[in-house]
């Protein structure tokens, strides 16, 4: 039975089951994943570890426990997972997929938080294990929950990075820990002395905060590869992360060898996605060129021989250093025979899989592999020895889809769709389309369009104009629980999500055009988009239009407010936006304004002042909702308070929504529900969109039935 929402509301969005990427077992018959659900009736979250039968698409519950996470296959049936305990401790447990009622047993207990588990089978009896745990400066396990608390709350710093994202920094750092798992008397346990800190005494940190995870390191039969910030450069000013190799043979070495750096001449930026070949003697990875540009194009690289770390080969290398492939490779998966690479990259609002030879000398500009609708989030080999891929993806109408992709035959078969490809939410691909229009120059700009599910071609619908953040980012054909176009469309809007200058996935020329030009080309592109909608989309009522944006999108809302386009909208919404570019040095990652504003504020103050929304406050006139959070250290809350004070002082209808316990994003379900209600209430009032009293439906009332399917 397929449940169907009578209307896709914020409650439906936020209470729908959220599935992780799924990981198939060695034979490719089953896949592990986690799913969490929040109930606004009980105000509680439920979390499960489930196993999917790949042939039937049916799944069953293995573990139901909020503190359990990260299931990882050990064999075709046995899986290891983490269970959080008291005082920040973690247990490593082993369960059985075929015997979900059996009692899991403990492999080890760690008196700290454990995350980012990876395993690699070494031989018939041993499995290499790696994870990340916070470490003290002397290399011991760190647990903030059990550390002795000082009598004073004072924090004293003598150098940059004092805080990052939503955390004031301490001396403890992320570190990789390794061990070997062996099976004795039918049960797994750690060999030798157990977990060993691979980075002890190195000043290196991995994963790289705040968003690093399993993609920052990999384990193979010959050791560990990982990325870490250059300890000699200030992390607030530079993006430089290097690739390192630690040779390990048994993963029981109590004194790990010193990490050896991998040479990448001419490339000094972020390094990402190190991935061992199946043979274990090669590593593919990406690296950016600039050491102060967080959104530079990643270059795809190959380390062809772990015995020679001074020789790496770049795919699509050109004499001018720009590279012969204009897209941005992200994750990497080796083909079963190590002859090819499957690389994900963003292209025209979708994240696709591209196939290319694993030898850079043979690589031509790659073609994408056929997948299901939407954007790819995770790619894995379906089974040991299989050429097929198991892909986790999402789209504008489907929040989670698992499929089997056969690159050699160009086929993609859906195994399981969490929302029955949108039907559960009452959404359809037929309501999703796109437009292309001329930008502020000789280039095209692309935008996604979503209409209401009950769209009547004879009617006109008010415009909902969404502006993305980044600014080097893009709206994509993928699911979001924070900025979901369908939520706005189902209120009765036509949603247009443009990807103007600065957007990723359309080539580096369009992306890099925003440098030193924040309120120039991007703003003009948005004006061109609005004019296109007025002229070419007669079913859109631009006279009742509203515009919303977050982060850089919030900056653009403030910029629009002071310019002619601002008078075209009935109301504006600014979430965690920039009020004044002269305040950019209150952020934490200073390399960001240094790059985008072409220098430091003391070297190029004019470059910062040129695109400052605050200098145009005399022109502000449109009703505006301001949203900001106190834990947003990327854009401090004064960037929200200042424009609100201006709006109020000028007598412009305005409202401030503040969250004391959120960062740059609103993540807590109850807070997110308030966010949606305030935002929709604001724009609906000014756009004249009627309220629908049907705030509950079959999905929210029967979420347990949906999860049991």
């Amino acid at each position: 039975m397929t449940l169907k929402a009578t209307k896709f509301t914020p409650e439906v969005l936020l209470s729908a089951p959220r599935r992780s990427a799924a990981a198939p077992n060695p034979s490719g018959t089953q896949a592990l994943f986690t799913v969490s659900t929040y109930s606004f009736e009980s105000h509680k979250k439920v979390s499960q570890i489930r196993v999917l039968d790949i042939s039937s698409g049916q799944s069953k519950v293995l573990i139901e426990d909020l503190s359990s996470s990260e299931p990882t296959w050990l064999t075709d049936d046995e899986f290891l997972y983490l269970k959080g305990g008291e005082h920040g401790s973690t247990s490593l447990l082993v369960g059985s997929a075929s015997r979900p009622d059996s009692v899991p047993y403990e492999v080890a207990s760690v008196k700290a938080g454990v995350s980012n588990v990876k395993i690699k089978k070494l031989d018939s009896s041993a499995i290499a294990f790696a994870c990340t745990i916070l470490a003290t400066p002397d290399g011991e396990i760190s647990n903030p929950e059990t550390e002795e608390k000082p009598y004073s709350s004072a924090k004293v710093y003598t150098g940059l990075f004092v805080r990052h994202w939503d955390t004031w920094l301490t001396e403890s750092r992320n570190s990789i820990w390794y061990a070997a798992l062996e099976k004795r008397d039918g049960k797994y346990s750690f060999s030798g002395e157990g977990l060993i800190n691979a980075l002890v005494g190195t000043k290196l940190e991995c994963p790289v905060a705040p968003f690093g995870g399993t993609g920052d390191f990999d384990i193979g039969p010959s050791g560990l590869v990982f990325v870490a910030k250059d300890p000699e450069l200030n992390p607030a000013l530079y993006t430089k992360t290097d690739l390192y190799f630690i040779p390990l043979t048994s993963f029981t070495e109590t004194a790990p060898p010193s990490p050896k750096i991998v040479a990448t001449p001419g490339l000094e930026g972020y390094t990402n996605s190190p991935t061992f070949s199946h043979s274990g003697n090669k590593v593919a990875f990406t690296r950016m060129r600039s050491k102060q540009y967080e959104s530079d194009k990643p270059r795809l690289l190959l380390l062809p021989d772990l015995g020679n770390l001074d020789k790496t080969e770049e795919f699509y290398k050109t004499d001018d250093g720009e590279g012969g492939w204009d897209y941005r490779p992200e994750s990497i998966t080796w083909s079963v025979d190590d002859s090819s690479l499957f690389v994900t990259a963003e292209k025209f609002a979708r994240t696709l899989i591209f196939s290319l030879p694993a030898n850079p000398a043979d690589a031509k500009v790659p073609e994408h592999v056929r997948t299901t609708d939407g954007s790819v989030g995770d790619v894995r080999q379906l089974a040991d020895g299989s050429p097929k891929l198991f892909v986790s993806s999402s789209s504008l109408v489907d929040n989670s889809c698992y499929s089997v992709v056969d690159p050699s035959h160009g086929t993609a078969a859906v195994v399981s769709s969490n929302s029955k490809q949108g039907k559960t939410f009452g959404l359809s691909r037929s309501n999703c389309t796109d437009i292309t229009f001329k930008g502020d120059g000789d280039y095209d700009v692309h935008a996604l369009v979503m209409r209401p599910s009950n769209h009547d071609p004879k009617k006109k619908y008010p415009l909902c104009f969404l502006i993305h953040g980044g600014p080097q980012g893009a709206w994509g054909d993928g699911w979001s629980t924070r900025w979901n176009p369908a939520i706005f469309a189902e209120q009765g809007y036509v949603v247009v999500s443009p990807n103007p200058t600065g957007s990723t996935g359309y080539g580096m020329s369009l992306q890099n055009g925003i440098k030193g030009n924040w309120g120039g080309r991007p703003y003009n592109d948005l004006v061109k988009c609005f004019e296109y909608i007025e002229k070419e989309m007669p079913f859109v009522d631009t006279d009742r239009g509203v515009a919303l944006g977050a982060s850089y999108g919030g900056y653009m809302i403030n910029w629009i407010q002071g310019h002619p386009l601002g008078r075209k909208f009935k109301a504006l919404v600014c979430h965690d936006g920039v009020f004044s570019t002269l305040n950019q040095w209150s952020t934490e990652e200073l390399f960001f304004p240094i790059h985008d504003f072409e220098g430091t504020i003391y070297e190029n103050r004019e470059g910062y002042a040129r695109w400052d929304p605050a200098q145009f406050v005399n022109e502000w006139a449109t009703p505006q909702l301001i949203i900001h959070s106190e834990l947003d250290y990327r854009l401090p809350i004064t960037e929200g308070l200042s424009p609100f004070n201006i709006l109020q002082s000028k007598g412009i209808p305005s409202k401030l929504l503040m969250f004391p316990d959120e960062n740059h994003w609103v993540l807590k379900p109850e807070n997110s529900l308030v966010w949606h209600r305030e935002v929709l209430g604001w724009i609906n009032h000014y756009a004249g969109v009627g309220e629908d009293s049907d705030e509950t439906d079959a999905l929210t009332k029967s979420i347990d039935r949906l999860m049991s399917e």
Side-chain angles (χ1 to χ4, degrees):
M1 176 183 177
T2 298
L3 298 175
K4 182 178 179 180
T6 58
K7 183 179 179 182
F8 187 59
T9 64
E11 287 86 350
V12 174
L13 170 70
L14 299 171
S15 62
R18 303 187 190 188
R19 302 197 306 190
S20 68
N25 62 0
S27 66
T29 57
Q30 301 182 100
L32 287 169
F33 65 97
T34 62
V35 59
S36 64
T37 308
Y38 189 84
S39 169
F40 288 104
E41 293 181 359
S42 65
H43 304 287
K44 292 181 180 179
K45 179 181 176 181
V46 174
S47 182
Q48 299 173 337
I49 295 175
R50 298 179 72 97
V51 63
L52 174 76
D53 180 85
I54 294 177
S55 62
S56 69
Q58 300 298 309
S59 69
K60 62 182 179 183
V61 178
L62 298 177
I63 307 289
E64 185 165 319
D65 180 11
L66 273 176
S67 61
S68 296
S69 63
E70 295 199 40
T72 306
W73 292 108
L74 295 171
T75 65
D76 255 356
D77 177 61
E78 296 168 297
F79 64 96
L80 181 144
Y81 67 99
L82 305 177
K83 179 178 173 59
E86 293 183 351
H87 309 299
S89 64
T90 308
S91 292
L92 282 65
L93 303 174
V94 171
S96 167
S98 63
R99 295 179 292 113
D101 294 332
S102 62
V103 179
Y105 66 86
E106 187 175 82
V107 173
S109 179
V110 181
K111 294 181 179 180
V114 178
S115 58
N116 302 314
V117 169
K118 278 194 171 182
I119 67 165
K120 174 70 176 180
K121 192 171 184 179
L122 297 177
D123 52 43
S124 58
S125 61
I127 295 174
F129 172 92
C131 66
T132 61
I133 305 173
L134 205 61
T136 64
D138 59 1
E140 299 298 319
I141 287 177
S142 172
N143 183 349
E145 291 195 30
T146 58
E147 290 173 358
E148 185 177 351
K149 302 297 187 292
Y151 291 106
S152 169
S153 62
K155 300 179 187 298
V156 179
Y157 298 91
T158 58
L160 288 175
F161 258 3
V162 299
R163 62 184 190 177
H164 200 189
W165 190 248
D166 58 6
T167 304
W168 288 88
L169 297 188
T170 68
E171 291 185 323
S172 295
R173 296 289 183 266
N174 294 330
S175 193
I176 304 172
W177 300 69
Y178 66 84
L181 282 167
E182 287 189 337
K183 203 169 192 180
R184 301 189 187 95
D185 300 324
K187 292 186 177 182
Y188 285 97
S189 61
F190 285 142
S191 301
E193 298 186 13
L195 290 170
I196 306 297
N197 185 352
L199 308 185
V200 61
T202 65
K203 297 183 181 180
L204 299 176
E205 179 180 10
C206 183
V208 179
F211 304 121
T214 55
D216 280 5
F217 68 96
D218 199 18
I219 54 177
S222 54
L224 282 163
V225 287
F226 67 95
V227 301
K229 285 268 193 177
D230 186 333
E232 302 304 317
L233 293 179
N234 192 296
L237 299 174
Y238 297 97
T239 61
K240 187 172 185 281
T241 57
D242 295 302
L243 180 65
Y244 296 86
F245 172 58
I246 299 178
L248 299 169
T249 56
S250 66
F251 282 78
T252 59
E253 291 88 343
T254 56
S258 297
K260 300 178 180 179
I261 197 167
V262 176
T264 58
L267 303 176
E268 297 184 299
Y270 276 135
T271 304
N272 282 300
S273 305
T275 310
F276 274 106
S277 62
H278 294 290
S279 65
N281 59 1
K282 300 179 181 180
V283 177
F285 61 104
T286 68
R287 182 146 202 191
M288 297 178 182
R289 181 171 54 179
S290 171
K291 60 184 178 182
Q292 285 189 313
Y293 184 15
E294 66 174 359
S295 299
D296 197 6
K297 181 174 74 173
R299 317 304 169 97
L300 186 61
L301 296 166
L302 176 71
L303 176 62
D305 181 6
L306 279 167
N308 184 1
L309 303 183
D310 292 329
K311 182 183 179 182
T312 53
E313 300 173 9
E314 182 180 341
F315 290 79
Y316 311 114
K317 187 175 183 179
T318 56
D319 292 339
D320 63 3
E322 296 301 320
W325 190 35
D326 208 19
Y327 295 103
R328 301 163 48 87
E330 297 173 5
S331 69
I332 302 167
T333 304
W334 288 82
S335 67
V336 63
D337 61 358
D338 285 345
S339 66
S340 302
L341 297 177
F342 298 105
V343 177
T344 60
E346 191 180 6
K347 181 178 180 180
F348 280 75
R350 295 181 67 201
T351 300
L352 305 173
I353 302 172
F354 294 85
S355 176
L356 61 146
N359 181 5
D362 299 330
K364 298 178 181 179
V365 175
E367 295 293 329
H368 73 263
V369 174
R370 181 183 175 187
T371 56
T372 57
D373 289 333
S375 293
V376 172
D378 186 79
V379 182
R380 313 219 181 189
Q381 190 178 349
L382 174 63
D384 290 346
S386 171
K388 297 180 180 180
L389 304 174
F390 190 87
V391 177
S392 300
S393 61
S394 71
S395 73
L396 284 168
V397 301
D398 191 358
N399 65 346
S400 172
C401 180
Y402 302 144
S403 61
V404 172
V405 171
D406 187 342
S408 59
H409 292 88
T411 60
V414 173
V415 174
S416 171
S417 168
N418 199 34
S419 66
K420 306 299 182 286
Q421 296 177 292
K423 293 179 182 178
T424 299
F425 301 137
L427 304 177
S428 170
R429 292 294 299 183
S430 63
N431 296 114
C432 306
T433 184
D434 54 15
I435 57 174
T436 301
F437 55 93
K438 283 294 179 184
D440 185 35
D442 188 22
Y443 57 89
D444 291 333
V445 176
H446 176 245
L448 297 170
V449 178
M450 178 167 275
R451 294 173 292 184
S453 58
N454 61 353
H455 177 256
D456 183 346
K458 297 178 182 179
K459 294 182 179 180
K460 295 186 73 169
Y461 296 84
L463 168 67
C464 179
F465 200 68
L466 299 183
I467 306 172
H468 70 69
Q472 294 87 2
W475 295 120
D477 187 1
W479 193 259
S480 172
T481 53
R482 295 195 303 274
W483 288 90
N484 192 305
I487 284 294
F488 300 97
E490 292 304 277
Q491 293 290 308
Y493 296 90
V494 170
V495 183
V496 179
S497 307
N499 286 327
T501 294
S503 299
T504 54
Y506 300 90
M508 295 304 295
S509 177
L510 185 76
Q511 177 185 315
N512 290 337
I514 198 171
K515 182 181 181 182
N517 201 12
W518 265 34
R521 270 181 55 182
Y523 170 77
N524 294 333
D525 288 347
L526 296 175
V527 172
K528 297 285 187 182
C529 182
F530 191 91
E531 292 172 349
Y532 177 94
I533 296 167
E534 285 184 307
K535 182 179 179 181
E536 303 294 340
M537 300 173 70
F539 55 92
V540 179
D541 186 352
T542 54
D543 289 337
R544 292 195 292 147
V546 295
L548 308 86
S551 194
Y552 172 80
Y555 159 87
M556 185 52 72
I557 291 295
N558 289 334
W559 183 260
I560 284 172
Q561 177 71 278
H563 289 78
L565 185 57
R567 308 293 79 78
K568 299 284 188 178
F569 295 107
K570 288 293 185 183
L572 303 172
V573 176
C574 172
H575 173 106
D576 285 10
V578 175
F579 170 65
S580 175
T581 49
L582 295 176
N583 295 336
Q584 280 288 286
W585 275 59
S586 63
T587 192
E588 9 84 289
E589 293 181 346
L590 295 173
F591 50 74
F592 173 77
I594 289 173
H595 174 270
D596 272 34
F597 294 97
E598 301 181 301
T600 64
I601 194 167
Y602 44 88
E603 295 169 328
N604 184 28
R605 192 179 191 280
E606 295 78 9
Y608 287 76
R610 182 182 182 187
W611 305 116
D612 186 3
Q615 66 180 311
F616 300 101
V617 293
N618 284 343
E619 305 299 323
W620 286 26
T622 302
Q624 183 166 332
L625 170 64
I626 301 286
I627 307 168
H628 226 97
S629 300
E630 285 200 332
L631 296 183
D632 185 357
Y633 299 159
R634 190 137 296 182
L635 286 169
I637 195 168
T638 50
E639 291 295 277
L641 292 172
S642 296
F644 177 68
N645 291 345
I646 294 289
L647 291 161
Q648 287 283 305
S649 298
K650 289 174 65 68
I652 300 169
S654 50
K655 182 184 284 191
L656 173 68
L657 173 61
M658 189 280 288
F659 296 100
D661 55 347
E662 299 283 4
N663 53 39
H664 202 52
W665 304 327
V666 176
L667 301 176
K668 296 178 172 64
E670 299 285 353
N671 287 346
S672 185
L673 183 59
V674 171
W675 185 98
H676 280 87
R677 286 177 172 170
E678 290 291 339
V679 168
L680 295 177
W682 182 261
I683 62 175
N684 288 354
H685 171 73
Y686 287 99
V689 173
E691 295 183 359
D692 193 324
S693 61
D694 183 15
E695 290 295 327
T696 60
D697 53 41
L699 179 68
T700 52
K701 287 183 175 180
S702 306
I703 207 72
D704 54 333
R705 292 168 58 196
L706 176 61
M707 291 179 62
S708 67
E709 289 188 354

Short mmCIF file of all heavy atoms in Angstrom, two decimals, residues 3 10 24 42 76 123 144 204 249 289 301 342 374 401 409 411 426 455 457 511 556 575 639 702:
data_model
loop_
_atom_site.label_atom_id
_atom_site.label_comp_id
_atom_site.label_asym_id
_atom_site.label_seq_id
_atom_site.Cartn_x
_atom_site.Cartn_y
_atom_site.Cartn_z
N LEU A 3 1.00 5.17 0.82
CA LEU A 3 0.34 6.31 1.44
C LEU A 3 0.61 7.55 0.60
O LEU A 3 1.65 7.69 -0.02
CB LEU A 3 0.88 6.52 2.86
CG LEU A 3 0.64 5.36 3.83
CD1 LEU A 3 1.33 5.67 5.15
CD2 LEU A 3 -0.83 5.12 4.05
N PRO A 10 4.98 21.74 5.51
CA PRO A 10 6.21 21.63 6.30
C PRO A 10 6.20 20.44 7.26
O PRO A 10 7.23 19.81 7.48
CB PRO A 10 6.25 22.96 7.06
CG PRO A 10 5.55 23.92 6.16
CD PRO A 10 4.44 23.12 5.53
N PRO A 24 25.83 -1.78 0.26
CA PRO A 24 25.58 -3.21 -0.01
C PRO A 24 26.62 -4.11 0.64
O PRO A 24 27.77 -3.69 0.89
CB PRO A 24 25.66 -3.30 -1.54
CG PRO A 24 26.46 -2.13 -1.96
CD PRO A 24 26.26 -1.06 -0.94
N SER A 42 4.37 13.43 19.22
CA SER A 42 5.06 13.04 20.46
C SER A 42 6.26 13.92 20.76
O SER A 42 6.82 13.86 21.84
CB SER A 42 5.53 11.58 20.35
OG SER A 42 6.51 11.45 19.33
N ASP A 76 28.91 -11.00 4.85
CA ASP A 76 27.62 -10.90 4.18
C ASP A 76 26.46 -10.77 5.15
O ASP A 76 25.39 -10.29 4.78
CB ASP A 76 27.40 -12.15 3.31
CG ASP A 76 27.60 -11.86 1.84
OD1 ASP A 76 27.83 -10.68 1.50
OD2 ASP A 76 27.54 -12.80 1.03
N ASP A 123 42.91 -10.21 5.05
CA ASP A 123 43.06 -11.60 4.63
C ASP A 123 41.87 -12.37 5.19
O ASP A 123 40.89 -11.76 5.65
CB ASP A 123 44.40 -12.20 5.09
CG ASP A 123 44.63 -12.01 6.58
OD1 ASP A 123 43.68 -12.23 7.36
OD2 ASP A 123 45.75 -11.66 6.98
N PRO A 144 35.30 15.62 25.95
CA PRO A 144 34.91 16.88 26.61
C PRO A 144 33.91 16.68 27.74
O PRO A 144 33.87 17.48 28.67
CB PRO A 144 34.29 17.70 25.47
CG PRO A 144 34.89 17.14 24.21
CD PRO A 144 35.09 15.68 24.48
N LEU A 204 48.97 17.08 12.91
CA LEU A 204 48.01 16.96 11.82
C LEU A 204 46.63 16.62 12.37
O LEU A 204 46.52 15.94 13.39
CB LEU A 204 48.45 15.89 10.82
CG LEU A 204 49.80 16.13 10.13
CD1 LEU A 204 50.17 14.95 9.25
CD2 LEU A 204 49.76 17.42 9.31
N THR A 249 51.10 -2.59 7.63
CA THR A 249 50.95 -3.93 7.06
C THR A 249 49.94 -4.77 7.82
O THR A 249 49.15 -5.50 7.22
CB THR A 249 52.30 -4.66 7.03
OG1 THR A 249 52.84 -4.68 8.36
CG2 THR A 249 53.27 -3.97 6.09
N ARG A 289 43.86 24.11 -6.97
CA ARG A 289 45.10 24.82 -7.24
C ARG A 289 45.37 25.93 -6.23
O ARG A 289 46.46 26.05 -5.69
CB ARG A 289 45.06 25.40 -8.66
CG ARG A 289 46.33 26.15 -9.05
CD ARG A 289 46.34 26.51 -10.53
NE ARG A 289 45.16 27.25 -10.95
CZ ARG A 289 44.96 27.69 -12.18
NH1 ARG A 289 45.86 27.44 -13.13
NH2 ARG A 289 43.88 28.36 -12.49
N LEU A 301 43.39 13.57 -9.71
CA LEU A 301 44.79 13.15 -9.71
C LEU A 301 44.90 11.66 -9.43
O LEU A 301 44.03 11.05 -8.81
CB LEU A 301 45.58 13.91 -8.64
CG LEU A 301 45.71 15.42 -8.82
CD1 LEU A 301 46.21 16.07 -7.55
CD2 LEU A 301 46.66 15.73 -9.97
N PHE A 342 34.82 5.97 -11.68
CA PHE A 342 33.50 6.58 -11.72
C PHE A 342 33.54 7.77 -10.77
O PHE A 342 33.74 7.62 -9.57
CB PHE A 342 32.43 5.58 -11.30
CG PHE A 342 32.35 4.38 -12.21
CD1 PHE A 342 32.84 3.15 -11.80
CD2 PHE A 342 31.81 4.50 -13.48
CE1 PHE A 342 32.79 2.05 -12.62
CE2 PHE A 342 31.75 3.40 -14.33
CZ PHE A 342 32.24 2.17 -13.90
N GLY A 374 17.28 13.06 -10.89
CA GLY A 374 17.81 13.75 -9.72
C GLY A 374 19.32 13.77 -9.66
O GLY A 374 20.01 13.70 -10.68
N CYS A 401 16.39 7.65 -3.00
CA CYS A 401 16.19 6.59 -3.98
C CYS A 401 17.45 5.73 -4.04
O CYS A 401 18.57 6.26 -4.10
CB CYS A 401 15.90 7.18 -5.36
SG CYS A 401 15.65 5.96 -6.67
N HIS A 409 26.04 -1.28 -19.79
CA HIS A 409 24.83 -1.43 -20.60
C HIS A 409 23.94 -0.18 -20.56
O HIS A 409 22.89 -0.15 -21.21
CB HIS A 409 24.01 -2.63 -20.12
CG HIS A 409 24.67 -3.95 -20.38
ND1 HIS A 409 25.55 -4.53 -19.49
CD2 HIS A 409 24.60 -4.79 -21.45
CE1 HIS A 409 25.98 -5.68 -19.98
NE2 HIS A 409 25.43 -5.85 -21.16
N THR A 411 22.09 1.13 -18.11
CA THR A 411 20.79 0.93 -17.48
C THR A 411 20.84 1.38 -16.02
O THR A 411 21.89 1.34 -15.37
CB THR A 411 20.35 -0.54 -17.53
OG1 THR A 411 21.34 -1.36 -16.85
CG2 THR A 411 20.22 -1.00 -18.98
N GLY A 426 2.59 13.47 -2.87
CA GLY A 426 1.68 14.11 -3.81
C GLY A 426 2.42 14.94 -4.84
O GLY A 426 1.85 15.85 -5.45
N HIS A 455 -1.57 22.51 -10.48
CA HIS A 455 -1.39 23.62 -11.42
C HIS A 455 -2.46 23.61 -12.50
O HIS A 455 -2.71 22.59 -13.15
CB HIS A 455 0.00 23.53 -12.05
CG HIS A 455 0.26 24.59 -13.09
ND1 HIS A 455 0.24 24.33 -14.44
CD2 HIS A 455 0.53 25.91 -12.95
CE1 HIS A 455 0.50 25.44 -15.11
NE2 HIS A 455 0.68 26.41 -14.23
N PRO A 457 -3.24 25.44 -16.01
CA PRO A 457 -2.61 26.30 -17.02
C PRO A 457 -3.40 27.55 -17.35
O PRO A 457 -2.87 28.49 -17.95
CB PRO A 457 -2.48 25.37 -18.24
CG PRO A 457 -3.48 24.29 -18.01
CD PRO A 457 -3.56 24.10 -16.53
N GLN A 511 31.23 30.52 -12.79
CA GLN A 511 31.45 30.50 -11.35
C GLN A 511 32.41 31.60 -10.92
O GLN A 511 32.14 32.35 -9.96
CB GLN A 511 32.02 29.14 -10.93
CG GLN A 511 32.34 29.07 -9.44
CD GLN A 511 33.00 27.77 -9.04
OE1 GLN A 511 32.58 26.70 -9.45
NE2 GLN A 511 34.05 27.87 -8.23
N MET A 556 22.14 38.93 -1.16
CA MET A 556 21.51 39.44 -2.36
C MET A 556 20.13 40.02 -2.06
O MET A 556 19.71 40.99 -2.71
CB MET A 556 21.43 38.35 -3.42
CG MET A 556 20.90 38.81 -4.77
SD MET A 556 21.74 40.27 -5.47
CE MET A 556 23.32 39.56 -5.93
N HIS A 575 17.64 35.12 5.23
CA HIS A 575 18.08 34.17 6.27
C HIS A 575 19.61 34.22 6.37
O HIS A 575 20.31 33.95 5.39
CB HIS A 575 17.64 32.75 5.91
CG HIS A 575 18.18 31.69 6.83
ND1 HIS A 575 17.40 31.07 7.78
CD2 HIS A 575 19.42 31.15 6.96
CE1 HIS A 575 18.14 30.19 8.43
NE2 HIS A 575 19.37 30.24 7.95
N GLU A 639 24.69 40.72 11.93
CA GLU A 639 24.36 40.89 10.52
C GLU A 639 22.85 40.76 10.28
O GLU A 639 22.35 41.15 9.22
CB GLU A 639 25.10 39.87 9.66
CG GLU A 639 26.60 40.10 9.59
CD GLU A 639 26.95 41.39 8.88
OE1 GLU A 639 27.00 41.41 7.64
OE2 GLU A 639 27.15 42.41 9.59
N SER A 702 0.31 8.47 9.76
CA SER A 702 0.60 7.04 9.59
C SER A 702 2.06 6.81 9.23
O SER A 702 2.38 5.97 8.41
CB SER A 702 -0.31 6.45 8.52
OG SER A 702 -1.66 6.71 8.81
#
